[in-house]
Amino acid sequence: MVSVRPNGIGAAVRAVGRAALGAALLAAGACSGAKRDDSGATSGTPPGTPPGAGATPTPSPYVADIPPWPADTTAVGVDQDGRLRSELAAAVPSCGGETPVVAQDSVGPLFPGMPIANLFGRCPHPLQLWHRGNGQYTPALAVTLGNALLLMDASGTMADAVIIRITAVSGARTSEGIGPGSPLADVQRAYGAPTWRRDQCAVDALFDSRPGLVVHTTFPDNGSDAYTCEDIRRFGTGSDFSHFPRGATVGWIAAELVDVN
């Protein structure tokens, strides 16, 4: 068994989660006795109110009792590249039949900042995992939407934790057509010059034109002894992808919370 280190998400993320969950709970209480007619108005709307005016939005479903995460990080661990072993990939449940578009602030109906209480309400049985990155494990969840396999990192394991990153491991692309397997030259044409985020043994590209969008790079022989971690970090240099080996591509693409330490 591998011990789990704290994931380092700051108080700001936890505050976002508590506020979002509290809002959902308050909305749920406000709607508990109201019925919606075909016009969109609730049964408590005063006479003469135009249809839809004053109607209380239906809150997203939520589940406050979150199942515990597996204690063994090795058995349900996912590496930095988001690769799920075949037995884990086969166990990922479907959360819908429509393949989503990856945007800088959402992936289909899911979005960074979404409380995991609401995620469990929408997708009752996501596969609970541990995602290893930068030398530590983060609680994660996996679902499929249409042809897309999505891996979601969370700020914690309680109901007020939030989704901090939604990664399209496969099957989903941005509106510009960028997704896993896309050449890095296509990425630069779509989003402009990258800035770099270096992990212990990986490089992600970020873009001023799309805050929140993250491109994880991969290349032939990635994961082998062909390159040291120092080599890999040096690939992310300058204002383009020219230092990467020939054949380098997008490993995964993700939407994440912005300015979270």
Side-chain angles (χ1 to χ4, degrees), residues 6 54 70 79 83 100 103 112 148 173 239 261:
D79 67 15
R83 293 186 293 256
R173 293 180 174 272
S239 59
N261 297 317

Side-chain angles (χ1 to χ4, degrees), residues 81-105:
D81 288 334
R83 293 186 293 256
L84 275 69
R85 299 190 306 275
S86 57
E87 66 272 19
L88 292 178
V92 177
S94 173
C95 189
E98 184 174 351
T99 301
V101 172
V102 179
Q104 64 193 69
D105 58 357

Side-chain angles (χ1 to χ4, degrees), residues 83 201 219-232 235:
R83 293 186 293 256
C201 206
F219 39 87
D221 299 320
N222 192 5
S224 71
D225 293 332
Y227 304 102
T228 67
C229 290
E230 185 177 357
D231 291 335
I232 292 169
F235 294 157

Side-chain angles (χ1 to χ4, degrees), residues 92-100 107 109-110 114 118-127 142-150 152:
V92 177
S94 173
C95 189
E98 184 174 351
T99 301
V107 180
L110 309 177
M114 183 180 196
N118 294 79
L119 176 68
F120 273 85
R122 175 179 281 275
C123 305
H125 305 291
L127 183 63
V143 299
T144 62
L145 281 173
N147 295 324
L149 173 58
L150 304 180
M152 293 165 282

Side-chain angles (χ1 to χ4, degrees), residues 27-222:
C31 290
S32 60
K35 294 182 179 179
R36 192 175 296 274
D37 62 25
D38 291 340
S39 68
T42 64
S43 58
T45 303
T49 301
T56 305
T58 302
S60 299
Y62 62 91
V63 173
D65 188 14
I66 303 300
W69 249 256
D72 187 350
T73 56
T74 302
V76 290
V78 180
D79 67 15
Q80 172 69 23
D81 288 334
R83 293 186 293 256
L84 275 69
R85 299 190 306 275
S86 57
E87 66 272 19
L88 292 178
V92 177
S94 173
C95 189
E98 184 174 351
T99 301
V101 172
V102 179
Q104 64 193 69
D105 58 357
S106 63
V107 180
L110 309 177
F111 57 93
M114 183 180 196
I116 63 171
N118 294 79
L119 176 68
F120 273 85
R122 175 179 281 275
C123 305
H125 305 291
L127 183 63
Q128 291 168 272
L129 302 164
W130 292 101
H131 190 186
R132 190 174 189 276
N134 215 21
Q136 61 190 34
Y137 283 95
T138 298
L141 304 128
V143 299
T144 62
L145 281 173
N147 295 324
L149 173 58
L150 304 180
L151 179 66
M152 293 165 282
D153 294 336
S155 64
T157 60
M158 306 301 289
D160 64 349
V162 299
I163 300 301
I164 57 176
R165 180 184 300 116
I166 304 173
T167 300
V169 176
S170 63
R173 293 180 174 272
T174 67
S175 59
E176 295 81 17
I178 303 300
S182 293
L184 297 183
D186 291 354
V187 175
Q188 182 143 354
R189 279 193 291 269
Y191 305 125
T195 58
W196 306 107
R197 182 169 65 193
R198 299 169 183 86
D199 199 340
Q200 286 184 337
C201 206
V203 179
D204 297 338
L206 313 177
F207 304 91
D208 290 341
S209 66
R210 297 291 190 281
L213 192 71
V214 182
V215 167
H216 181 72
T217 60
T218 190
F219 39 87
D221 299 320
N222 192 5

